[in-house]
Amino acid sequence: MATFLYKLGRLSFRRRHVVALIWVALLTLAGVGAASAPAAGNSSFSIPGTEAQKAFDLLEQRFPGVSADGATARVVFKAPSGEKMTDPGNKAAVRETVKELGDGSEVARVTDPYQAKAVSKDGTIAYAQVSYKVSGMELEDSSRDALQDSAQDARKAGLTVEIGGDALQTVPHTGSSEIIGIAVAAVVLVITFGSLVAAGLPLLTALIGVGIGVSAITALASALDLGSTTSTLAMMIGLAVGIDYALFIVSRYRAELAEGRDREEAAGRATGTAGSAVVFAGLTVVIALVGLSVVNIPMLTKMGVAAAGTVAIAVLIALTMIPALLGYAGRRVKPIGEKGKRLGQASKKAERPNLGTRWASFVVRRPIAVLLLGVIGLGAAAVPASSLELGLPDDGSQPTSTTQRRAYDLLSEGFGPGFNGPLMVVVDAKDSDDPKAAFTEVGDEIKGLEDVVTVTPPAPNKAGDTATITVIPGSQPSSVTTENLVHGIRDAGTDIKADTDANVLVTGSTAMNIDVSEKLNDALIPYLVLVVGLAFLLLIVVFRSILVPLKAALGFLLSVMAALGAVVAVFQWGWLSGLMGVEQTGPVMSMMPIFMVGVVFGLAMDYEVFLVTRMREAYVHGEKAGQAIVTGFRHGARVVTAAAVIMMAVFAGFIGSSESMVKMIGFGLAIAVFFDAFIVRMAIVPAVLALLGRKAWWLPKWLDRALPNVDVEGEGLRPDSDRGDTDRELIRA
């Protein structure tokens, strides 16, 4: 592989005009496709295999036109102090608002609080429920604006009016966060390279790669039902890895120049060595992202595949466009150390090893102390993960400044905490001899369960073979008590099925959240086995070792557990919540563990590949095991540090989001990168390798013969030979 990539790098350097033209043409083509593609709505959300989804599908069949999964909004009214919602003036204002709410083209129906008996016992709070024909993610902005305008008119009449429900659900915008991440990345790159031109290359190529990836997603969004949320992960990951991959190749190019090679040869060798590491690092990220399909949640699968495509583009750009741009840059990209030579400081720098060398030498001398300190520190950070509670965010987790949260609190005040999470029970009595008796039995059975406040009478369809029953729990939607009630109803349904041949299904947003959480929990172990197993096999090929990939996987698990512990401490326990802007603590988002495993595993293997391939290269070229560790750090520590800081900056920018879910993802990924890069890869990895010595690179002879020789360390590039016909050789190959 190193030889092929060496030839590709030299070809790209020499034919830089053609390479640049190809990538600009691809960017233009993707941009035109995105601009001319039909506007895509938000991706339809379904959870195959869950009971809640089966109930939704059944409702669409048996209750045509009801839009069971359509968006809902609750417009909550509170009377001024000393007044009642039943007072004539307040009543008139509410009914005028209800009339306005029913005028929207996407509105299916609006309930009048006074006809639906939706007034609290003390008469101070009432609500009108608005049902829409489409889901919350598909709702037009004009419908949301009309909803908020109607509420504003009621406020002018002196009422307190707040709006809850998923009708106000929007895709969080994080443009300023991305700008912050890019700005920090630019500063880090300038410090790392000491040159604006060298720092600009990774930024330019990363932006081109993300531009092509996101534009392609936009162009295909309508045809593939990708939705507007699919590009978020692709942009986040694509930007981070795009900068990192280019950073490693440019750094190796400068090191090759410092060894006296001409610029074309340096570009070829940088692509052949660092480029090989980029290919395998990119493969681990792609495996982790595509592996999200194991969860069998279509939206998550599409996000993973789209992000994996963007990563693949980042790898191709790093291997071809970076050498081409290095050709354009010419002497403006300096060899490592040339600035010091011009300042007459070369002799001093030669005498004083860099920080990476000094740190690696210390770890090699004190491996046990460093290993114990790192493991104990991460173990302590992971302790809160033992108290992990999972759930999906609802309006109760919103900041208190939002109208959704204020509506949630008003409904809890007027009708009880469980009112914000009603359960819809669907009774399918098509195979029952007496459907009406089955409906009645289900209602009576539910009334006898714990934590049930209200059970509405069965509402059958026109055919009389299916009915819906609304159940109001006594506890808030995200509580364990409500989850137990859902399981209790389903258990009771098993007995009812035996007696009446009627199927009992529980659905609604609360039940759907519970089912999604359980589905994600069940998929975590298979996902870990698949992703870690495939990456383990891949790393055996890269490092030609059993113990190095094993150590890499175990270190990753340690960093992920520590990161989950930090997430629990901040978002569930409330530690440093004020500093992070967390207004409401509660269960950790159920998608967080599997999402963190997928993203962080790919990124963690990036650092492992970039750092340890340098050690492997030094060891293969004849250095002793301990010295190879020091050599790897001398050449790679600064670059890996810069890459980690850039990655943390990109993710940490999302902590400033007002959306608790986005804030949690940003914090979790940023702290995971910190733990993995600076504690696992920079401390635990060299300590373990120092303790193992030559055994770290042991591989059974039969396996060594069976594995393909990918030559990541660039052994085939060692002899300096005539490469004058590189481009013709590559074309023939």
Side-chain angles (χ1 to χ4, degrees):
M1 174 172 286
T3 303
F4 172 79
L5 293 179
Y6 165 85
K7 295 176 182 179
L8 178 63
R10 291 196 65 174
L11 176 64
S12 299
F13 185 96
R14 185 176 298 178
R15 303 297 173 85
R16 48 188 171 272
H17 301 308
V18 176
V19 173
L21 184 62
I22 289 173
W23 283 112
V24 170
L26 288 174
L27 179 62
T28 304
L29 184 64
V32 170
S36 58
N42 291 282
S43 180
S44 55
F45 185 79
S46 64
I47 313 295
T50 62
E51 180 171 314
Q53 186 63 48
K54 292 176 183 176
F56 275 135
D57 296 340
L58 182 65
L59 286 172
E60 289 184 357
Q61 295 174 12
R62 306 286 175 84
F63 292 82
V66 171
S67 301
D69 60 346
T72 59
R74 281 177 170 173
V75 182
V76 188
F77 306 90
K78 184 174 183 179
S81 179
E83 297 183 17
K84 301 283 186 182
M85 288 305 304
T86 52
D87 293 346
N90 295 334
K91 210 170 189 178
V94 169
R95 284 187 164 155
E96 181 62 30
T97 302
V98 169
K99 182 180 177 182
E100 291 180 19
L101 290 170
D103 292 338
S105 59
E106 293 184 312
V107 175
R109 61 189 176 279
V110 182
T111 61
D112 185 312
Y114 304 102
Q115 294 178 0
K117 299 180 180 179
V119 180
S120 63
K121 290 181 180 180
D122 62 5
T124 60
I125 297 174
Y127 71 91
Q129 179 149 320
V130 187
S131 299
Y132 292 88
K133 301 174 184 176
V134 295
S135 69
M137 298 298 289
E138 297 172 306
L139 203 61
E140 296 289 341
D141 288 338
S142 58
S143 296
R144 293 192 182 94
D145 293 340
L147 178 63
Q148 293 173 330
D149 291 343
S150 299
Q152 188 59 38
D153 292 341
R155 291 189 184 105
K156 292 177 182 177
L159 299 173
T160 298
V161 187
E162 305 295 347
I163 305 171
D166 59 353
L168 293 184
Q169 181 181 6
T170 58
V171 179
H173 298 287
T174 52
S176 61
S177 302
E178 293 153 14
I179 293 172
I180 292 170
I182 293 172
V184 173
V187 172
V188 172
L189 288 169
V190 170
I191 294 173
T192 302
F193 291 135
S195 163
L196 289 174
V197 174
L201 296 183
L203 284 175
L204 177 61
T205 54
L207 290 173
I208 291 174
V210 168
I212 293 173
V214 173
S215 296
I217 291 170
T218 304
L220 298 172
S222 179
L224 301 181
D225 190 29
L226 298 180
S228 57
T229 59
T230 310
S231 61
T232 303
L233 180 62
M235 183 178 296
M236 185 189 299
I237 302 301
L239 185 63
V241 301
I243 294 173
D244 279 4
Y245 295 164
L247 167 66
F248 282 103
I249 293 179
V250 173
S251 298
R252 186 60 183 257
Y253 171 77
R254 296 177 70 227
E256 296 292 339
L257 288 179
E259 293 182 12
R261 294 185 173 85
D262 66 64
R263 295 186 177 275
E264 184 177 333
E265 177 71 10
R269 286 179 173 268
T271 309
T273 51
S276 296
V278 164
V279 169
F280 284 100
L283 277 175
T284 60
V285 180
V286 169
I287 287 172
L289 292 171
V290 173
L292 289 171
S293 58
V294 171
V295 184
N296 195 26
I297 295 179
M299 184 184 72
L300 196 59
T301 300
K302 292 172 185 177
M303 289 177 68
V305 172
T310 307
V311 171
I313 293 172
V315 171
L316 292 174
I317 283 185
L319 297 176
T320 56
M321 195 169 186
I322 281 293
L325 292 179
L326 289 173
Y328 283 118
R331 296 185 177 276
R332 287 186 290 274
V333 177
K334 308 293 182 185
I336 291 176
E338 183 170 304
K339 184 178 179 180
K341 292 178 183 178
R342 291 202 308 268
L343 296 176
Q345 297 173 346
S347 60
K348 293 182 181 179
K349 288 192 175 184
E351 294 172 2
R352 182 178 174 80
N354 63 23
L355 181 60
T357 302
R358 298 198 302 274
W359 169 250
S361 299
F362 170 78
V363 174
V364 170
R365 291 195 305 271
R366 301 282 189 273
I368 296 178
V370 172
L371 178 60
L372 289 177
L373 190 61
V375 171
I376 291 172
L378 289 179
V383 169
S386 61
S387 302
L388 178 66
E389 295 178 7
L390 297 176
L392 288 177
D394 55 22
D395 286 348
S397 62
Q398 296 273 6
T400 53
S401 58
T402 62
T403 186
Q404 296 98 314
R405 173 59 188 278
R406 291 195 292 264
Y408 181 97
D409 291 341
L410 283 176
L411 287 172
S412 297
E413 176 188 338
F415 303 93
F419 199 79
N420 285 289
L423 306 176
M424 179 181 288
V425 178
V426 182
V427 185
D428 178 9
K430 191 172 185 179
D431 297 329
S432 177
D433 295 332
D434 190 350
K436 290 185 178 180
F439 301 154
T440 303
E441 182 176 342
V442 171
D444 293 341
E445 189 71 26
I446 294 174
K447 289 177 183 177
L449 298 176
E450 293 183 6
D451 199 49
V452 173
V453 175
T454 304
V455 177
T456 64
N461 62 349
K462 290 183 179 179
D465 58 6
T466 308
T468 60
I469 300 172
T470 301
V471 180
I472 305 298
S475 304
Q476 61 185 15
S478 59
S479 68
V480 176
T481 308
T482 300
E483 182 177 347
N484 292 336
L485 175 59
V486 171
H487 291 304
I489 296 173
R490 288 172 175 171
D491 291 341
T494 303
D495 297 332
I496 294 171
K497 168 73 172 176
D499 295 339
T500 65
D501 290 327
N503 288 317
V504 179
L505 304 173
V506 185
T507 188
S509 59
T510 300
M512 179 66 84
N513 289 350
I514 292 170
D515 286 352
V516 170
S517 297
E518 291 179 353
K519 191 177 183 69
L520 289 166
N521 290 341
D522 293 341
L524 183 57
I525 298 301
Y527 177 68
L528 264 175
V529 171
L530 174 69
V531 172
V532 176
L534 289 176
F536 180 78
L537 296 176
L538 183 65
L539 293 179
I540 289 178
V541 175
V542 174
F543 296 127
R544 307 195 78 77
S545 164
I546 297 293
L547 296 178
V548 171
L550 180 62
K551 171 263 308 167
L554 294 176
F556 154 74
L557 293 175
L558 191 57
S559 61
V560 164
M561 289 303 298
L564 278 175
V567 170
V568 170
V570 173
F571 292 89
Q572 188 175 309
W573 291 1
W575 293 5
L576 301 178
S577 57
L579 181 64
M580 296 295 167
V582 179
E583 295 187 23
Q584 181 70 30
T585 59
V588 172
M589 182 181 64
S590 55
M591 199 179 293
M592 195 68 191
I594 202 164
F595 184 81
M596 186 179 291
V597 166
V599 176
V600 176
F601 180 80
L603 302 180
M605 293 304 103
D606 279 2
Y607 306 132
E608 178 77 15
V609 170
F610 290 135
L611 195 58
V612 180
T613 47
R614 267 294 198 170
M615 301 177 193
R616 169 75 183 172
E617 182 179 340
Y619 180 76
V620 168
H621 291 170
E623 292 188 10
K624 293 183 178 180
Q627 183 57 42
I629 296 171
V630 177
T631 300
F633 268 76
R634 180 171 70 249
H635 293 295
R638 186 179 184 185
V639 181
V640 170
T641 299
V645 171
I646 289 170
M647 200 79 75
M648 288 168 59
V650 172
F651 294 145
F654 291 85
I655 297 175
S657 173
S658 60
E659 292 285 336
S660 60
M661 182 175 68
V662 176
K663 187 190 296 288
M664 188 181 297
I665 290 174
F667 173 80
L669 294 182
I671 198 69
V673 169
F674 172 78
F675 285 150
D676 197 89
F678 293 106
I679 299 180
V680 174
R681 309 303 154 190
M682 291 288 189
I684 294 178
V685 165
V688 172
L689 292 178
L691 289 172
L692 292 174
R694 294 182 61 184
K695 295 177 183 177
W697 308 106
W698 170 80
L699 187 70
K701 290 183 179 179
W702 64 268
L703 184 57
D704 187 40
R705 290 191 297 269
L707 292 176
N709 183 14
V710 295
D711 189 22
V712 176
E713 61 275 357
E715 180 68 15
L717 303 180
R718 291 194 72 192
D720 290 324
S721 57
D722 183 15
R723 308 282 184 177
D725 297 327
T726 299
D727 49 349
R728 286 196 298 274
E729 294 173 16
L730 181 60
I731 292 170
R732 285 199 300 271

